[in-house]
Amino acid sequence: MGIINVTPDSFSDGGLYASTESALRHAAHLIEEGADLLDIGGESTRPGGTPVSVQEELHRIIPVVKALSSMNTPVSVDTSKPEVMRAAIEAGAIMINDVNALRAPGALEVIAEGGVAVCLMHMQGDPLSMQANPQYNDVVAEVKDFLRQRLNAAEAAGIPCERLVIDPGFGFGKTLSHNIELLRHLDQFMDMGVPVLVGLSRKSMLGKITGNEVGDRIHASVAAALLARAKGARILRVHDVKATRDALAVYDAVSMV
Ligand code: 9MG
């Protein structure tokens, strides 16, 4: 899953792709590099990111979703707003990536009616305050518990499990040691009956481990993606598609004998 941020405050591309035209150029580049799916986001979810209105989010992403879908490019839309989910599905998105796990009123119903796939992600708190003081007794058990509850809510609302994906939410209300614990035990999420998506690309946990700034985290991101793959992750949300693809090709060549 290649990342396209159509946000002026996006944490790692500094708003470079904050227009339809440049987002489409970047999309073409990621497809050429081997992305199977593109995740389009119009509101930054990084800690302290600026919230945007429904209208602004629609204005940023819908032209991009329409253009890519009309070229048969599989598109996921990163949003937590039911109104944006509905418009994205009408514009051709095949998946909604919700860091809020469909907890907004009406979100479950939109996905149930829309017939698309959905990624349910764990987050403690909200993007404005989540990194203030994250606390867990047992991070793996608590994240799994939350995801089990959201899977149950989704299935009760009429979303079949074939359309569900889960994500432990690296960096969303977690300290470095919580993130490391989750990655170390990621294999424990593989018994939940649905594919696991992981987003580690360029994240601050990799900056804390390596001491590198966001623009210099490609090697650490590829290492983290490989670790996640080796522990069973099926979808990797990444900025650096070619580097990740090459590493996965080596992994697959060795592990699929
Ligand atoms: C939007 N977004 C940013 N980071 C993410 C992650 O780790 N997972 C998912 N599903 N979405 C993310």
Side-chain angles (χ1 to χ4, degrees):
M1 173 188 267
I3 302 170
I4 308 273
N5 289 312
V6 200
T7 55
D9 65 346
S10 162
F11 82 109
S12 70
D13 53 33
L16 206 57
Y17 304 112
S19 74
T20 304
E21 208 180 308
S22 52
L24 292 176
R25 258 200 310 277
H26 190 52
H29 175 68
L30 295 187
I31 294 290
E32 205 177 289
E33 288 199 339
D36 294 319
L37 173 68
L38 296 176
D39 192 38
I40 317 296
E43 179 176 54
S44 175
T45 51
R46 72 181 165 140
T50 316
V52 298
S53 66
V54 170
Q55 273 321 107
E56 178 60 21
E57 202 173 327
L58 291 172
H59 173 71
R60 291 178 184 183
I61 63 155
I62 294 301
V64 180
V65 177
K66 278 190 177 156
L68 292 173
S69 300
S70 73
M71 296 183 280
N72 292 322
T73 300
V75 165
S76 154
V77 166
D78 154 22
T79 188
S80 297
K81 299 188 181 84
E83 301 91 332
V84 177
M85 293 176 188
R86 193 185 301 281
I89 295 166
E90 279 167 17
I94 62 158
M95 180 172 179
I96 298 296
N97 173 26
D98 185 2
V99 300
N100 199 37
L102 302 182
R103 284 178 291 171
L108 284 164
E109 292 75 13
V110 171
I111 301 300
E113 285 161 22
V116 296
V118 64
C119 177
L120 305 170
M121 199 198 77
H122 175 271
M123 169 169 52
Q124 188 181 87
D126 59 57
L128 276 181
S129 61
M130 64 189 177
Q131 289 309 107
N133 188 22
Q135 304 253 353
Y136 301 86
N137 290 317
D138 178 339
V139 67
V140 175
E142 288 171 47
V143 171
K144 274 190 84 170
D145 245 33
F146 171 87
L147 291 173
R148 171 55 58 207
Q149 282 173 32
R150 296 317 297 158
L151 285 172
N152 290 343
E155 291 190 58
I159 307 170
C161 73
E162 297 75 37
R163 291 205 261 125
L164 295 167
V165 172
I166 51 168
D167 181 341
F170 288 96
F172 285 81
K174 283 131 192 141
T175 63
L176 175 60
S177 67
H178 295 140
N179 288 318
I180 288 176
E181 189 73 0
L182 280 171
L183 186 51
R184 183 179 290 137
H185 297 292
L186 192 66
D187 49 326
Q188 292 182 24
F189 288 81
M190 304 308 149
D191 64 358
M192 296 185 71
V194 297
V196 173
L197 184 155
V198 161
L200 288 154
S201 185
R202 301 186 189 175
K203 285 202 171 162
S204 69
M205 68 177 277
L206 304 178
K208 287 183 183 132
I209 293 170
T210 61
N212 292 345
E213 291 303 318
V214 68
D216 188 21
R217 293 184 191 156
I218 180 167
H219 307 101
S221 299
V222 170
L226 266 191
L227 282 167
R229 175 75 191 97
K231 288 187 176 287
R234 294 275 302 281
I235 304 173
L236 302 168
R237 184 178 183 277
V238 303
H239 298 87
D240 304 294
V241 172
K242 179 164 169 31
T244 312
R245 270 276 180 217
D246 285 354
L248 290 178
V250 176
Y251 175 84
D252 288 345
V254 174
S255 64
M256 285 183 175
V257 280

